[in-house]
Amino acid sequence: MATVTLKGSNQQMPLVGFGLWKIPNEKTADTVYAALKAGYRLLDGAGDYGNEKEAGEGLARAIKDGVVKREEVFVTSKLWNTFHSPEHVAQAARMQLKHWGLEYFDLFHIHFPIALKYVDPAHRYPPGWQADDGTTVELDNTPIQSTWQAMEKLHDEGLAKNIGVSNFNGSLLLDVLRYARIPPAVLQIEHHPYLVQQPLVDLAKAYGIAITAYCSFGPASWVELDMHVAVPSLLDHGEVSAIASKYGKTTAQILLRWALQRGIAVIPKSSDPGRVVSNLQSNDFSLEAADMDKLTGLDQGLRFNDPSNMSLGLSIFA
């Protein structure tokens, strides 16, 4: 399996992983088990997904059945916005590890560069974006530096082998690098041909920070949430379809290969057993430079995961 070596820990992170976002709780354990049995060795979760306990059950079953060993699986999770205060970072990480049934995460991200008012997990978990009224967004004044220093302590204590950031723009990434004792090992971003983010990709690579792409299929992930934009689906796009036909691959494989060939890890998910397998096989062929350019040329700077749609106070990509 193709991997990238993470700076600092020298740990190998698989370039193709399995994402856990939006997997229903009642299906998560079986889905994780099936993904591991199909050959995936990276699971990308988050406290906000609300299915980490079930994901841990699927992983535990796979370990018990001899499908994998714990050290063979790279488990990623993320710190939610309501836990940014230093005193809450370790609390959240330990709680999430307990949900997974693990002693450590291979990678633990700050999910968003947004601090929200603390919500006691006993009151509501996952806490989500809004307050109890389901409408109000309550910000917290914790600076990223305080949160990052608490993340570094997680690494020191062996709770996270690597720490990273998600949904950070270039200026915030540079800010973290100014004071980080332990630099981010990975930057996770929305990335697909409609949102290439070349300057941010170049910046991360210049500092030796690995990149993971989410939403590799563009609007496909957002249709059911009614958060998509009226643009052609990348999975059905004429340009992507033509390239897929040329190589005898699925459009999903072409989109994943485009990112992989740009040196970016991917974390697709699917409930279809055939697609679960075919997505994993996106690293066994290469796209010609002209085809890479055609896909990159679809860039519109079009972002689907933009929290500013909920509140001006969340305009992190402005």
Side-chain angles (χ1 to χ4, degrees):
M1 176 175 289
T3 62
V4 59
T5 302
L6 299 185
K7 187 177 180 180
S9 69
N10 290 320
Q11 189 174 0
Q12 300 296 306
M13 183 180 79
L15 282 173
V16 181
F18 193 85
L20 303 179
W21 182 48
K22 294 195 306 178
I23 299 179
N25 292 63
E26 66 274 12
K27 296 182 179 180
T28 300
D30 288 341
T31 299
V32 166
Y33 184 90
L36 293 170
K37 201 165 185 178
Y40 287 86
R41 292 297 179 265
L42 185 151
L43 300 173
D44 183 87
D48 183 55
Y49 301 167
N51 56 9
E52 291 193 300
K53 181 176 180 294
E54 294 80 5
E57 291 169 356
L59 174 58
R61 194 198 318 164
I63 293 172
K64 180 181 178 182
D65 291 353
V67 176
V68 294
K69 297 177 181 178
R70 167 62 186 99
E71 59 270 22
E72 295 173 340
V73 183
F74 192 103
V75 178
T76 298
S77 189
K78 306 176 192 74
L79 177 81
W80 187 241
N81 309 331
T82 53
F83 302 109
H84 275 214
S85 293
E87 67 270 23
H88 297 140
V89 172
Q91 171 202 8
R94 292 181 188 277
M95 175 184 65
Q96 291 174 240
L97 284 168
K98 184 177 180 181
H99 290 167
W100 274 93
L102 299 176
E103 295 182 353
Y104 65 89
F105 287 123
D106 295 278
L107 174 61
F108 197 57
H109 283 296
I110 296 177
H111 203 152
F112 280 91
I114 299 168
L116 298 179
K117 183 179 178 181
Y118 174 70
V119 177
D120 189 329
H123 175 67
R124 187 175 73 246
Y125 189 83
W129 290 93
Q130 288 90 4
D132 286 343
D133 63 8
T135 302
T136 307
V137 174
E138 298 179 316
L139 298 175
D140 180 77
N141 289 328
T142 304
I144 293 294
Q145 182 172 359
S146 297
T147 306
W148 187 254
Q149 289 169 344
M151 294 282 286
E152 290 174 327
K153 291 181 180 178
L154 297 181
H155 178 272
D156 294 341
E157 295 172 10
L159 300 180
K161 289 190 173 184
N162 302 275
I163 49 178
V165 293
S166 178
N167 298 301
F168 276 49
N169 63 19
S171 60
L172 284 175
L173 189 61
L174 287 170
D175 182 63
V176 172
L177 290 169
R178 294 298 172 263
Y179 49 73
R181 176 170 54 86
I182 302 172
V186 181
L187 168 67
Q188 186 172 127
I189 56 172
E190 180 179 345
H191 175 268
H192 43 75
Y194 284 151
L195 186 65
V196 175
Q197 302 205 74
Q198 192 63 52
L200 181 57
V201 169
D202 291 342
L203 176 65
K205 288 183 176 180
Y207 282 93
I209 300 171
I211 305 168
T212 297
Y214 68 81
C215 293
S216 294
F217 305 142
S221 299
W222 300 93
V223 173
E224 65 193 74
L225 300 178
D226 197 27
M227 293 174 65
H228 63 296
V229 181
V231 293
S233 167
L234 285 170
L235 292 170
D236 301 318
H237 195 287
E239 195 78 73
V240 182
S241 297
I243 295 172
S245 178
K246 173 181 176 179
Y247 291 89
K249 302 293 182 180
T250 67
T251 52
Q253 287 176 312
I254 295 300
L255 293 169
L256 295 173
R257 181 58 201 166
W258 170 77
L260 291 165
Q261 207 159 311
R262 284 164 52 79
I264 297 172
V266 294
I267 46 172
K269 76 172 181 68
S270 177
S271 58
D272 181 274
R275 292 194 191 111
V276 168
V277 173
S278 65
N279 286 345
L280 189 59
Q281 297 170 341
S282 300
N283 216 16
D284 60 1
F285 67 101
S286 295
L287 297 173
E288 295 175 4
D291 294 321
M292 289 289 294
D293 290 342
K294 288 178 183 177
L295 294 170
T296 302
L298 299 177
D299 187 23
Q300 299 181 26
L302 185 55
R303 186 184 305 278
F304 298 98
N305 188 17
D306 189 348
S308 67
N309 296 328
M310 289 178 283
S311 168
L312 284 176
L314 304 180
S315 299
I316 57 174
F317 301 117

